[in-house]
Amino acid sequence: MTIIQNTNSTAPADVHSYARPAEAVARHLDLDIAVDFHSHTISGLATYQIENLASTDKIIFDTRNLNIEQVYLGENRAATTFGLGEEDKYLGRPLTISIKPHTSIVTIKYTTQPGAAAVQWLNPQQTAGKQHPFLFTQSQAILARTWIPIQDSPGIRITYSARVKVPATLLAVMSAENPQEKNGEGVYIFRMQQPIPSYLMALAVGDLVFRPLGPQTGIYAEPATIDAAAYEFAEMGKMLIAAEKLYGRYRWERYDLLVLPPSFPFGGMENPRLTFVTPTVLAKDRSLTSLVAHELAHSWSGNLVTNATWNDFWLNEGFTVYFERRIMEELYGKDYADMLEVLGYQDLQKTMQDLGAGSKDTCLKLDLQGRDPDEGLNDIAYEKGNLFLRHIEHVAGRDQFDEFVNKYFNAFAFQSTSTDLFLNFLHQELIKGNKELAQQINPAAWIFAPGLPESFVKPTSRRFAKVEETYRGWKNGQPAAQLNTENWSSHEWLHFIRMLPEQMTAAQMTDLDHTFHFTTSGNSEVLAAWLLLAIRNSYTAADEALETFLANVGRRKFLVPIYKALSATPAGKERALAIYARSKPNYHAVSTVTLDEILK
Ligand code: BES
Ligand code: ZN
């Protein structure tokens, strides 16, 4: 395999990293670490192969809450001097290491702190099997530096290998070539031979088993979850084939999934070769698998071609949402993909409303200087980004656009790209001096202006039109039992629930619930949407379901609107605080940072 190493010499400055990659940059990482479930620490050696491009006397790494014990240079590990700069709340501290012009190896001996923000340590009770502890990391956006001293910028790529020591009863997996079973010793060796940005560094340790799904795909999960997961994700292989047909060869050999305990703060995380997913997509009917299409699509948009800075986040997520929907269309047809498109558009409208029409945060190109990128990254990048790409597709034609996207992925493979580089490429490879086309696409209006430009293709769905018809019947007083809901998927149910008025009578709530069993729904999307209505309408029959949900599920996307709805009244706020105090140990730091803000 040929791998192009990005020299990064033209990469734009990343305001979220202390590293100066144009001067001295890491190229390869050898990690040698031990995971200690008693002290909740990870400790060991991070050995970097570096390039001292500017013959400087120092190299800078990012750290946050890391104890740096010693730093060595060269194969013989001669001790060198180092310093930790002042602490910034989000960025942590720069680790500045003295090097020589010819230095090519730097070894950092370090230990994490028990509160490392990327890492969640779960006790056995917080897992499906209840027997063994569990650990997982979440590095995106700038949390890799809380468990590895690293040049933590998406504009810098490294290959890596790792030796990870864990309790002998557990299996370790990473965003790398993975073992498929425990070896009895608890020492595992990993290799990632394609250069990746730091936010894709990932580790999970637990009582995990592996189940192959096809020649290239499989699932890691706890034994208690593996059957359900294998059923739910059986079509992963087909998704991979559809993706390759659209945008070219899959460059990472295997594609496996890891199903995490419910505290996982996201729906999914596209760690290369091993997507991490929430168990809340195990709906038993394969209705929520577009999430896998999404994370798989990141194998091109994001992992292969990476946003150079978090201000260019839309390049990762906008392309991925667009690609996700194309995969779903390929597999399940346009009517199906259109439902996802409309639900996404609804999310976008809600986010635009929350941020305010003129908000600069509704531009595709962001300005996150001085802020935690995690707080600035929202549906705008995903859904406005997607609408922009759909708009280009609409104007240029699908074939032309697909050819362009293929070229884009090839031209920037294993490199980072910025909004400006994308714009140049768009002009060079698609617009090609055609003034009318340039005007119709009007990229600047999408990228640098807030809100939505006047001309865009507003998503519509034929299947949802039927849902709306049913809804009108209900609105006109038809009892739930008489409504036509035949063959509805969870997407149709979600659309229906989202249309229901914020204020309903107890009789209406009860009638709907008794007929459609929303409170006991096994579909997390349906249940979360229903719980919002239950809160707003003081529908106490859902109280227990609400508390169980909040006690177990740590997915931020669900928690935030629910806690916000609860906090809308003084009594509700009190209840929210009580539930939060109980449930907080089950949430990852990514979620609690946001919730602390809402509940303060
Ligand atoms: N890469 C994101 C998750 C992420 C974004 C983590 C920003 C940290 C900072 C992942 O691909 C994602 O978008 N997940 C979504 C699911 C998707 C189907 C929209 C999620 O977790 O909700
Ligand atoms: Zn994504």
Side-chain angles (χ1 to χ4, degrees):
M1 179 191 325
T2 44
I3 282 170
I4 309 155
Q5 276 281 13
N6 186 4
T7 61
N8 292 304
S9 53
T10 56
D14 176 359
V15 295
H16 295 111
S17 170
Y18 291 110
R20 295 189 204 157
E23 292 169 27
V25 67
R27 297 297 189 198
H28 177 84
L29 165 64
D30 270 306
L31 207 53
D32 185 354
I33 52 175
V35 173
D36 184 351
F37 279 92
H38 299 291
S39 62
H40 283 187
T41 59
I42 298 172
S43 62
L45 302 172
T47 299
Y48 284 101
Q49 284 170 30
I50 67 158
E51 243 181 286
N52 189 348
L53 297 165
S55 292
T56 140
D57 58 0
K58 58 179 181 297
I59 183 165
I60 305 174
F61 292 88
D62 293 291
T63 74
R64 199 181 125 195
N65 295 344
L66 288 183
N67 300 329
I68 305 297
E69 283 146 23
Q70 192 56 273
V71 183
Y72 313 95
L73 301 185
E75 301 218 31
N76 300 328
R77 296 197 179 151
T80 187
T81 54
F82 65 92
L84 281 166
E86 226 174 283
E87 169 100 34
D88 175 275
K89 188 168 172 231
Y90 307 123
L91 306 185
R93 305 170 75 179
L95 167 63
T96 304
I97 296 172
S98 302
I99 58 171
K100 298 271 167 358
H102 60 266
T103 299
S104 63
I105 298 178
V106 173
T107 299
I108 306 164
K109 183 162 186 287
Y110 75 100
T111 306
T112 63
Q113 292 180 10
V119 187
Q120 192 173 13
W121 301 87
L122 297 171
N123 59 44
Q125 214 44 44
Q126 293 168 305
T127 66
K130 317 271 181 227
Q131 301 295 312
H132 299 274
F134 199 105
L135 163 151
F136 68 87
T137 64
Q138 166 58 42
S139 295
Q140 195 182 12
I142 56 168
L143 301 178
R145 65 190 70 177
T146 70
W147 69 285
I148 311 172
I150 198 163
Q151 292 190 318
D152 199 8
S153 167
I156 302 172
R157 308 179 88 83
I158 52 169
T159 52
Y160 79 87
S161 61
R163 179 180 179 276
V164 181
K165 182 158 177 33
V166 301
T169 50
L170 304 182
L171 179 68
V173 288
M174 292 189 82
S175 49
E177 251 175 70
N178 275 307
Q180 296 189 339
E181 57 188 15
K182 292 176 193 163
N183 61 21
E185 281 167 44
V187 176
Y188 297 95
I189 306 292
F190 302 90
R191 229 193 331 256
M192 168 45 75
Q193 289 180 278
Q194 289 92 335
I196 59 164
S198 56
Y199 74 89
L200 297 176
M201 294 297 306
L203 169 69
V205 181
D207 180 22
L208 294 170
V209 290
F210 175 75
R211 172 88 54 91
L213 287 177
Q216 226 181 329
T217 56
I219 299 181
Y220 292 85
E222 288 186 64
T225 316
I226 193 76
D227 286 334
Y231 175 80
E232 204 77 31
F233 303 123
E235 314 219 297
M236 237 162 79
K238 284 193 201 154
M239 287 184 176
L240 186 53
I241 291 166
E244 289 194 301
K245 192 174 134 202
L246 282 165
Y247 296 130
R249 189 166 64 82
Y250 180 74
R251 312 275 199 126
W252 310 85
E253 290 115 42
R254 290 199 58 86
Y255 182 71
D256 294 320
L257 284 190
L258 168 65
V259 181
L260 288 136
S263 70
F264 187 60
F266 292 108
M269 177 63 214
E270 66 272 26
N271 297 315
R273 299 180 66 117
L274 185 66
T275 283
F276 285 20
V277 290
T278 168
T280 62
V281 289
L282 299 173
K284 298 197 165 76
D285 61 0
R286 301 179 181 166
S287 57
L288 302 178
T289 57
S290 63
L291 186 127
V292 176
H294 179 97
E295 305 312 334
L296 172 65
H298 272 306
S299 307
W300 287 259
S301 43
N303 299 3
L304 185 63
V305 178
T306 309
N307 53 206
T309 75
W310 298 115
N311 291 334
D312 307 299
F313 185 58
W314 78 273
L315 289 172
N316 269 21
E317 296 299 344
F319 267 90
T320 298
V321 169
Y322 175 83
F323 193 170
E324 162 208 326
R325 309 257 162 87
R326 290 291 302 274
I327 294 171
M328 295 310 276
E329 178 179 336
E330 198 73 21
L331 253 55
Y332 307 107
K334 185 168 182 321
D335 280 351
Y336 188 95
D338 281 347
M339 293 194 289
L340 302 176
E341 216 52 85
V342 172
L343 291 172
Y345 182 60
Q346 291 168 358
D347 293 335
L348 177 63
Q349 286 176 307
K350 170 94 179 50
T351 304
M352 291 262 186
Q353 249 170 33
D354 290 351
L355 292 172
S359 164
K360 280 178 84 181
D361 284 345
T362 66
C363 299
L364 285 180
K365 171 87 185 189
L366 297 170
D367 179 7
L368 299 172
Q369 174 137 36
R371 290 152 71 184
D372 181 357
D374 199 43
E375 293 296 306
L377 305 179
N378 55 44
D379 281 339
I380 302 296
Y382 289 78
E383 297 296 342
K384 183 181 174 183
N386 166 58
L387 284 185
F388 176 36
L389 299 176
R390 276 175 47 113
H391 170 71
I392 305 176
E393 179 203 325
H394 177 74
V395 172
R398 181 169 273 196
D399 290 347
Q400 291 278 33
F401 184 64
D402 280 350
E403 199 187 310
F404 166 77
V405 176
N406 263 291
K407 273 193 198 155
Y408 173 72
F409 287 144
N410 283 322
F412 293 99
F414 296 109
Q415 296 176 53
S416 296
T417 134
S418 63
T419 301
D420 286 340
L421 285 172
F422 167 80
L423 274 175
N424 288 343
F425 199 75
L426 183 72
H427 277 285
Q428 189 188 309
E429 297 294 336
L430 190 92
I431 295 176
K432 296 179 178 159
N434 181 337
K435 288 213 175 88
E436 203 191 320
L437 189 58
Q439 235 169 32
Q440 282 177 311
I441 295 178
N442 197 2
W446 285 89
I447 293 173
F448 303 112
L452 279 176
E454 254 151 50
S455 86
F456 70 95
V457 199
K458 192 173 168 242
T460 57
S461 155
R462 295 206 303 207
R463 284 173 65 171
F464 280 0
K466 288 192 186 155
V467 176
E468 287 149 28
E469 206 179 295
T470 296
Y471 178 74
R472 280 192 292 276
W474 178 82
K475 197 93 219 252
N476 291 333
Q478 243 177 347
Q482 282 170 29
L483 298 177
N484 179 11
T485 62
E486 213 183 343
N487 294 327
W488 278 12
S489 67
S490 69
H491 310 301
E492 278 133 332
W493 283 115
L494 189 58
H495 185 50
F496 180 79
I497 293 173
R498 283 182 178 186
M499 272 189 297
L500 290 168
E502 290 215 348
Q503 298 305 320
M504 281 183 278
T505 64
Q508 283 176 317
M509 289 290 290
T510 308
D511 179 38
L512 287 169
D513 202 14
H514 283 179
T515 314
F516 302 130
H517 313 290
F518 293 137
T519 299
T520 52
S521 173
N523 189 291
S524 57
E525 297 280 350
V526 168
L527 178 59
W530 174 250
L531 290 175
L532 285 180
L533 289 174
I535 293 165
R536 292 188 184 120
N537 290 287
S538 310
Y539 179 64
T540 51
D543 277 1
E544 204 187 311
L546 174 68
E547 297 194 10
T548 308
F549 189 82
L550 292 178
N552 294 301
V553 175
R555 190 173 168 188
R556 186 173 63 178
K557 174 184 116 164
F558 291 144
L559 297 181
V560 166
I562 291 180
Y563 276 109
K564 273 190 183 161
L566 278 172
S567 302
T569 65
K573 175 98 183 241
E574 216 167 292
R575 189 167 162 223
L577 285 169
I579 298 175
Y580 186 48
R582 281 204 296 282
S583 311
K584 195 171 171 178
N586 291 340
Y587 304 156
H588 184 277
V590 158
S591 292
T592 59
V593 166
T594 311
L595 294 173
D596 282 344
E597 232 6 76
I598 295 170
L599 295 169
K600 73 175 176 220

